[in-house]
Amino acid sequence: MADFAAARLNMVESQVRPADVTDVRIHDAMRALAREDFLPAGKAYLAYADIEAAYGPGRALMKPRDVAKLLQAVRPMPGERALAIAAPYAAAVMTHMGLAVTRLDGDDLSALPAGATYDVVVCEGAVGRAPPAWLAALAPQGRLAVVERDGPVGKACVYLRAQDGVGRRDVFDATPPVLAGFAAQHGFALE
């Protein structure tokens, strides 16, 4: 029988903290949450490995290091409203940190609740480019954390809604699987 409590502690100490994740609230949440509960029973042993672990068809939990870095980049604060898109583990971490979290895990990840806005939006899967509907769901000063991927390596990035529009910055490299229907669209460009 695996010692998951020891594996959780080791995950934080050997994967998360050495990756410059300094927010102790994220450490505390990741130490407290049973990551194996987010995987099928036969795959629980993968919960603390340094890999993207599949939890359903076309869906995977991000590497522990990557989800921690993504969350730290958006600086979630207690009381904020958050949307977790194909991100069950990130949702649980944010809930543990005191955010009010709405989960979007269905087949249509672009069908957001009508009129709702969020302070924090996080996705654990990669997309070719952040969908306009996700950006539109950002409240003033709202932050979206997502990996944009068009090739073997993606860029984790944070979008921020300011008074004059939405800005974007790259944070780190990551390789989560691209969500079905969200691959980069290539075509001809006219000059």
Side-chain angles (χ1 to χ4, degrees):
M1 182 110 212
D3 184 353
F4 289 126
R8 268 193 300 284
L9 177 60
N10 188 50
M11 172 190 72
V12 173
E13 297 302 318
S14 67
Q15 296 177 49
V16 175
R17 289 187 57 209
D20 294 326
V21 177
T22 57
D23 188 332
V24 295
R25 299 169 310 133
I26 294 172
H27 299 171
D28 292 346
M30 292 179 90
R31 283 186 192 111
L33 294 168
R35 189 171 157 93
E36 66 273 14
D37 290 349
F38 298 91
L39 296 173
K43 294 191 177 203
Y45 67 95
L46 297 173
Y48 303 101
D50 186 23
I51 61 169
E52 286 90 12
Y55 67 86
R59 304 284 170 89
L61 301 180
M62 288 182 96
K63 292 179 182 180
R65 163 211 178 261
D66 291 352
V67 73
K69 287 178 75 74
L70 206 60
L71 288 172
Q72 179 170 271
V74 292
R75 298 184 182 108
M77 299 304 293
E80 288 187 318
R81 291 176 35 111
L83 176 64
I85 301 170
Y89 183 67
V93 171
M94 290 189 292
T95 299
H96 192 274
M97 294 173 69
L99 282 77
V101 180
T102 300
R103 288 180 54 179
L104 183 60
D105 288 319
D107 291 334
D108 187 2
L109 298 176
S110 58
L112 303 181
T117 60
Y118 302 91
D119 303 301
V120 175
V121 178
V122 175
C123 179
E124 281 193 62
V127 297
R129 193 74 170 164
W134 296 4
L135 297 173
L138 293 175
Q141 301 304 310
R143 291 93 60 208
L144 163 65
V146 64
V147 174
E148 294 181 337
R149 185 172 175 184
D150 183 15
V153 178
K155 292 283 184 191
C157 55
V158 173
Y159 286 86
L160 171 66
R161 175 167 300 285
Q163 249 181 340
D164 59 347
V166 177
R168 176 190 181 278
R169 70 180 168 93
D170 291 343
V171 188
F172 61 93
D173 292 342
T175 58
V178 176
L179 294 169
F182 288 91
Q185 300 296 315
H186 298 282
F188 292 102
L190 299 176
E191 293 185 19

